[in-house]
Amino acid sequence: MSRKLFALIGCSKKKSTTNPFHEMVPARDLYCSDLFKKRVEHIESRGLPWFILSAKCGCISPGTPLRKYDHTILDKEPIDRAAWHIGAASQLIDSLYYDFGIRDPAECVIEIHAGRDYCETLRKILQIAGFEVERPVEGMGIGQQLAYYSKGS
């Protein structure tokens, strides 16, 4: 069976400076760190459908309108982090089911391109649900990740 590959890209603390806080912009245009941009280029060059792991909103599509915000997952209390991970997993599963027709977790692989605090609990939840989850840059520092994404691995 051929499995469909999906990617999750972690948001970044660095946000666009061209938009005031009250203005809504597509999520993909809100985050502007070099690492976020390299991750997006890498995933899009492979033609993969992808989602953003937003500290504010969970697992969202790149076109989701967002206002600028200033917090990370580390700013959340432990119980709120747990709720975020459960919510993000639920949002992803709903999107896979309704938008992509995925009926069995074994039909796809989820690649997570994000920091450890966004990944570890989410990976466990998705694996328990039956998804195969990969972290291609697991254990790499930011410089190593930038090099990985730059070479188109």
Side-chain angles (χ1 to χ4, degrees):
M1 160 173 61
S2 175
R3 295 185 300 169
K4 185 128 174 101
L5 185 58
F6 295 87
L8 306 179
I9 298 176
C11 66
S12 70
K13 187 169 182 155
K14 186 175 180 185
K15 312 288 189 301
S16 169
T17 57
T18 60
N19 307 93
F21 269 90
H22 67 277
E23 187 176 313
M24 302 281 279
V25 297
R28 71 174 296 127
D29 298 333
L30 181 62
Y31 308 107
C32 62
S33 73
D34 289 340
L35 185 57
F36 179 82
K37 290 177 182 178
K38 291 286 186 194
R39 286 173 171 164
V40 170
E41 288 172 13
H42 174 74
I43 296 306
E44 289 186 337
S45 73
R46 295 166 58 207
L48 301 181
W50 60 283
F51 302 89
I52 296 171
L53 295 175
S54 160
K56 181 178 180 180
C57 301
C59 183
I60 59 174
S61 72
T64 301
L66 287 182
R67 286 185 177 88
K68 200 179 300 184
Y69 62 94
D70 190 22
H71 66 272
T72 71
I73 198 163
L74 294 176
D75 296 330
K76 296 179 181 299
E77 295 294 329
I79 193 74
D80 295 323
R81 257 185 257 151
W84 181 93
H85 284 98
I86 291 166
S90 178
Q91 289 168 308
L92 174 63
I93 292 167
D94 282 352
S95 290
L96 295 176
Y97 184 88
Y98 292 109
D99 300 333
F100 294 93
I102 301 295
R103 299 297 183 257
D104 179 353
E107 292 178 37
C108 60
V109 176
I110 309 297
E111 272 188 15
I112 305 179
H113 299 264
R116 184 185 69 238
D117 296 308
Y118 286 85
C119 294
E120 285 309 306
T121 303
L122 181 58
R123 172 173 35 192
K124 290 174 186 173
I125 293 167
L126 293 171
Q127 287 173 329
I128 289 168
F131 292 93
E132 180 179 335
V133 180
E134 298 176 354
R135 284 192 59 209
V137 295
E138 184 171 16
M140 292 184 190
I142 291 175
Q144 293 170 305
Q145 290 181 53
L146 287 168
Y148 173 89
Y149 294 124
S150 293
K151 69 180 180 183
S153 294

